[in-house]
Amino acid sequence: MDRTTDKHQQQQQLSLAKNGRQRYNEWIFRDVPSDITIEVNGVTFSLHKFPLVSRSGRIRRLVAEHRDSDISRVELLNLPGGAECFELAAKFCYGINFEITSTNVAQLCCVSDYLEMTEDFSKDNLSSRAEEYLDCIVCKNLEMCVEVLQQCESLIPLADEMRIVTRCIDAIASKACAEQIASSFSRLEYSSSGRLHMSRQAKCDGDWWIEDLSGLRIDIYQRVITAMKCRGVRPESIGASLVNYAEKELTKKSSLWNQSSQNKVDSNSTLHEKLVVETIVSLLPVEKLAIPINFLFGLLRSAVMLDCTIASRLDLERRIGSQLDQSTLDDILIPSFKHGGDTLFDVDTVHRLLVNFCQQDDSDDDLEDGSLFESDSPRSPSQTSLVKVSKLVDNYLAEIAPDVNLKLSKFLVIAETLPEHARTVHDGLYRAIDIYLKAHQSLSDLDKKKLCKLIDFQKLSQEAGAHAAQNERLPLQSIVQVLYFEQLKLRNNLSSTNVDDDQKPIHQSWRISSGALSAAMSPRDNYASLRRENRELKLELARLRMRLNDLEREHVCMKRDMAKSGSRKFMSSFSKKISKLSLFAGHSSSKGSSSPSRNSHRTDSKVIERTCASTE
């Protein structure tokens, strides 16, 4: 197979040389015999010394060094642009006209430097002609600059030494910035109130260059984007260009995502994709929302799969964590690329994302009275973001719970990452734990208790509470807690329908002390209000205690007055009517019928006293 390939390459070179000779014979002087042969990359040119020496300082020096031996053959090694480029230089020496374009100007600049075709040896030489075209024509047009940069990919480092790449990059950055400014002015309009503002568009009209840059090699593309950042191009435009470039470069090799053909993937292709991912990560704008969250997750998956540097992965995790509330369940379901009994999904990466989310520094949302709270700890996210992420985490736990290889420690660390006030309702967490218990029936009672400790049964909805009360997979202690809180809820609902409006704050304050309302408050946003409400609660509970004492005294006084007035016959007839209605079954006397009410008052007072003591 290798011999056949080598033979095919040799035939191609021979045919190229033959076709080259035929082309060169068309413009070489036929009536004057050639006196020098130039060889470039295996292709020979039968030429004449005089026109070459008159323009090229390099060939003049070679001929002068071998004047005694009458040199007739010269081999030019490592000539930039190869034989085709030398053909153009030779034509220029012979005075034959040809067109300088954006596709050959870079080669002409390099070959003129190699052959020393400068003004020192001839006026209006090839070097000055190519440089003039580059500065006056190419650098004024963004598309032509991109074409020149593509030609420079095979001419580095000489193109860098001659500042061809630098000039084109600076021209692209300046042109893109100017186009964007002009487009911004065209988007200015007056609002209904007469104020001047900029209309919002999905894509700026001055970003047409994004598609052109996607054809550059990654190292040159990196330099172009860096120059654009320095010139002040909008972060959204930089982000759009990065997304477009990554989609073209990383989706070409779809076999990387195919596990069956993973062994056939070229190592060079993998290294190229790894370089692309790491470079794009280093070019990401620092501004939030400049890059779509789903694209960041795609980069993170590629970084994990291609085993990119730790710095690149940590940078992506930090960026994703700062806007995790905008992600979806499909985004965080990152597959695990490890083998050998590991989990289906990368739980460790998701845990780090949650840690970054909880520790993010939201400097843009600082409170006006933020100076009142002095703390060295990182600022927590807003409550709205916490609620969104808590629902996302609960859905994620329910998705990974059926995995038999998922260890309890990993499940717990994901569930415990968010603070307690993040979940206002625990239905999603209960569902995930129930799925985990169903898939891992060999768990010990101790492990089951660890799981169920995560659930605040007071925050379950009526449907979830009814399901949990009949769930045999839960430990007995958890079922008892569910029944207890369900009974309290039922009691409070019944009491709220019978108690006057003056007594309604009793149940409202009890609900606050149970954590149902305080759970919806963020420590950062509502720290001062929590302390204020805490003081109000204590005062309210004290007033309630006094109110209860007053009611008990009034009740005693009423009984004493009724006894003095001799209304025992009325009380006995009243108790008989009550017993017929069977409202208090099992109590026949009026004394027995009054004891539950008295016990309920004592129980309520004890509950309130305990609540007040715990609050204090």
Side-chain angles (χ1 to χ4, degrees):
M1 185 69 181
D2 295 338
R3 293 179 181 176
T4 306
T5 304
D6 294 340
K7 187 180 293 184
H8 182 64
Q9 290 178 352
Q10 291 176 359
Q11 290 177 355
Q12 284 184 338
Q13 290 178 356
L14 290 174
S15 62
L16 179 63
K18 184 177 180 181
N19 294 333
R21 291 192 192 99
Q22 291 176 355
R23 291 200 314 268
Y24 307 146
N25 289 334
E26 294 176 359
W27 53 267
I28 295 175
F29 299 143
R30 297 182 180 180
D31 53 348
V32 180
S34 64
D35 54 359
I36 188 171
T37 301
I38 306 294
E39 182 179 352
V40 180
N41 295 342
V43 181
T44 57
F45 298 84
S46 298
L47 303 174
H48 305 85
K49 292 181 182 179
F50 177 74
L52 297 178
V53 169
S54 63
R55 293 279 190 177
S56 171
R58 188 185 187 94
I59 297 178
R60 178 184 298 185
R61 188 171 59 255
L62 290 174
V63 172
E65 291 175 354
H66 300 82
R67 180 173 300 183
D68 298 337
S69 59
D70 194 15
I71 185 173
S72 60
R73 188 179 185 88
V74 175
E75 182 180 3
L76 299 178
L77 301 174
N78 301 322
L79 187 139
E84 293 184 0
C85 193
F86 178 78
E87 179 186 1
L88 294 177
K91 281 184 177 181
F92 185 84
C93 293
Y94 278 82
I96 299 174
N97 294 326
F98 62 89
E99 185 180 4
I100 300 178
T101 64
S102 58
T103 57
N104 62 18
V105 65
Q107 290 90 335
L108 292 175
C109 287
C110 292
V111 77
S112 63
D113 180 76
Y114 179 88
L115 295 175
E116 300 176 15
M117 300 176 67
T118 61
E119 298 296 311
D120 297 335
F121 302 98
S122 178
K123 188 178 180 181
D124 292 335
N125 214 338
L126 181 60
S127 177
S128 60
R129 293 280 187 88
E131 290 286 339
E132 183 181 4
Y133 183 84
L134 182 66
D135 292 333
C136 299
I137 305 297
V138 173
C139 290
K140 301 294 177 61
N141 187 287
L142 192 147
E143 294 176 341
M144 296 179 72
C145 287
V146 173
E147 292 178 359
V148 172
L149 288 178
Q150 290 174 334
Q151 300 299 321
C152 288
E153 293 175 359
S154 59
L155 301 174
I156 292 175
L158 184 57
D160 262 333
E161 295 174 0
M162 299 185 65
R163 298 189 72 254
I164 301 175
V165 177
T166 304
R167 281 181 283 177
C168 290
I169 288 176
D170 290 342
I172 291 175
S174 301
K175 194 69 176 175
C177 188
E179 292 271 355
Q180 200 166 83
I181 293 174
S183 175
S184 299
F185 279 120
S186 64
R187 292 163 55 195
L188 289 175
E189 58 184 23
Y190 286 96
S191 62
S192 57
S193 60
R195 293 183 178 180
L196 191 65
H197 72 285
M198 188 174 295
S199 63
R200 294 183 177 271
Q201 295 180 2
K203 187 176 180 180
C204 182
D205 296 335
D207 295 344
W208 54 266
W209 45 265
I210 291 176
E211 192 68 27
D212 296 329
L213 296 185
S214 61
L216 295 175
R217 201 171 65 185
I218 184 62
D219 55 337
I220 298 179
Y221 176 79
Q222 180 182 17
R223 295 171 62 178
V224 173
I225 295 298
T226 303
M228 284 185 170
K229 285 184 176 181
C230 295
R231 292 297 179 99
V233 176
R234 291 188 306 118
E236 293 79 7
S237 302
I238 298 292
S241 178
L242 292 173
V243 171
N244 186 70
Y245 189 88
E247 288 177 350
K248 289 198 172 183
E249 287 295 318
L250 298 179
T251 56
K252 292 177 182 176
K253 293 86 179 177
S254 58
S255 58
L256 281 176
W257 296 93
N258 189 358
Q259 299 293 336
S260 60
S261 62
Q262 197 168 17
N263 296 329
K264 301 178 183 180
V265 177
D266 187 9
S267 59
N268 292 330
S269 174
T270 304
L271 291 175
H272 171 70
E273 290 196 343
K274 181 179 179 181
L275 177 63
V276 169
V277 171
E278 292 175 354
T279 304
I280 289 178
V281 171
S282 67
L283 294 174
L284 291 174
V286 297
E287 291 80 4
K288 271 187 180 183
L289 308 179
I291 300 290
I293 187 73
N294 56 348
F295 174 71
L296 293 177
F297 272 105
L299 280 181
L300 183 59
R301 286 190 179 92
S302 300
V304 173
M305 180 185 63
L306 297 169
D307 194 22
C308 293
T309 60
I310 296 178
S312 298
R313 281 181 279 180
L314 291 179
D315 188 16
L316 283 172
E317 291 171 3
R318 179 184 58 80
R319 292 174 182 273
I320 294 174
S322 65
Q323 44 187 324
L324 191 61
D325 56 312
Q326 301 177 19
S327 60
T328 62
L329 180 60
D330 292 335
D331 291 332
I332 64 174
L333 286 175
I334 304 173
S336 177
F337 296 99
K338 300 178 182 178
H339 302 284
D342 201 3
T343 56
L344 295 175
F345 299 101
D346 193 346
V347 181
D348 296 331
T349 299
V350 175
H351 175 241
R352 290 194 296 271
L353 294 178
L354 291 172
V355 171
N356 280 292
F357 170 75
C358 294
Q359 294 179 350
Q360 61 178 308
D361 187 2
D362 245 350
S363 58
D364 296 337
D365 300 329
D366 287 344
L367 296 175
E368 294 180 0
D369 56 347
S371 57
L372 298 176
F373 312 108
E374 296 180 359
S375 176
D376 295 332
S377 59
R379 299 184 184 276
S380 59
S382 63
Q383 181 61 23
T384 305
S385 301
L386 276 174
V387 172
K388 289 182 180 179
V389 175
S390 67
K391 294 179 180 179
L392 180 67
V393 170
D394 292 343
N395 291 331
Y396 176 76
L397 289 172
E399 196 71 27
I400 66 174
D403 188 357
V404 294
N405 294 324
L406 180 62
K407 297 180 180 179
L408 178 62
S409 58
K410 290 192 174 183
F411 187 92
L412 289 174
V413 77
I414 294 293
E416 294 174 342
T417 303
L418 294 178
E420 293 182 0
H421 63 271
R423 293 183 177 90
T424 56
V425 180
H426 275 221
D427 288 11
L429 181 60
Y430 165 71
R431 172 174 167 266
I433 291 177
D434 185 43
I435 295 174
Y436 188 85
L437 290 173
K438 187 176 181 180
H440 302 78
Q441 298 182 4
S442 60
L443 284 178
S444 62
D445 293 338
L446 182 61
D447 290 339
K448 290 181 180 179
K449 290 180 180 179
K450 288 182 180 178
L451 269 176
C452 293
K453 279 183 179 180
L454 299 173
I455 307 174
D456 186 352
F457 293 104
Q458 301 181 64
K459 298 180 182 178
L460 291 180
S461 64
Q462 185 176 358
E463 295 79 6
H467 184 275
Q470 302 176 1
N471 193 345
E472 298 179 354
R473 288 184 288 271
L474 296 180
L476 181 60
Q477 183 181 1
S478 300
I479 296 177
V480 171
Q481 290 181 10
V482 174
L483 293 173
Y484 173 73
F485 289 119
E486 287 297 312
Q487 184 182 8
L488 284 179
K489 289 180 182 179
L490 180 61
R491 216 173 110 199
N492 285 319
N493 290 335
L494 290 175
S495 301
S496 63
T497 58
N498 298 326
V499 180
D500 296 334
D501 293 338
D502 295 338
Q503 294 178 327
K504 286 184 180 179
I506 298 176
H507 309 289
Q508 293 176 358
S509 62
W510 182 87
R511 289 177 61 193
I512 293 176
S513 64
S514 67
L517 294 182
S518 61
M521 297 181 182
S522 172
R524 187 195 65 171
D525 298 336
N526 301 299
Y527 178 72
S529 61
L530 278 175
R531 295 188 62 182
R532 185 169 57 253
E533 289 182 6
N534 193 19
R535 291 192 298 268
E536 293 176 356
L537 272 175
K538 292 179 181 179
L539 295 174
E540 183 68 22
L541 289 174
R543 285 194 294 268
L544 288 174
R545 214 180 290 121
M546 295 175 63
R547 177 64 173 166
L548 283 173
N549 292 334
D550 293 340
L551 289 174
E552 288 179 356
R553 283 196 298 269
E554 290 177 3
H555 180 66
V556 172
C557 293
M558 287 176 62
K559 288 183 64 177
R560 190 181 303 147
D561 294 339
M562 290 173 64
K564 289 181 180 180
S565 62
S567 59
R568 292 183 179 179
K569 293 181 180 180
F570 171 77
M571 289 297 296
S572 61
S573 62
F574 181 75
S575 62
K576 288 179 181 179
K577 292 180 180 179
I578 292 296
S579 62
K580 288 180 181 180
L581 294 174
S582 301
L583 290 176
F584 301 102
H587 300 278
S588 58
S589 64
S590 62
K591 186 183 294 184
S593 65
S594 63
S595 60
S597 176
R598 191 176 303 163
N599 292 335
S600 64
H601 278 297
R602 291 174 183 173
T603 305
D604 286 341
S605 62
K606 289 180 181 179
V607 171
I608 294 173
E609 287 175 1
R610 284 198 211 103
T611 307
C612 185
S614 63
T615 307
E616 293 174 354

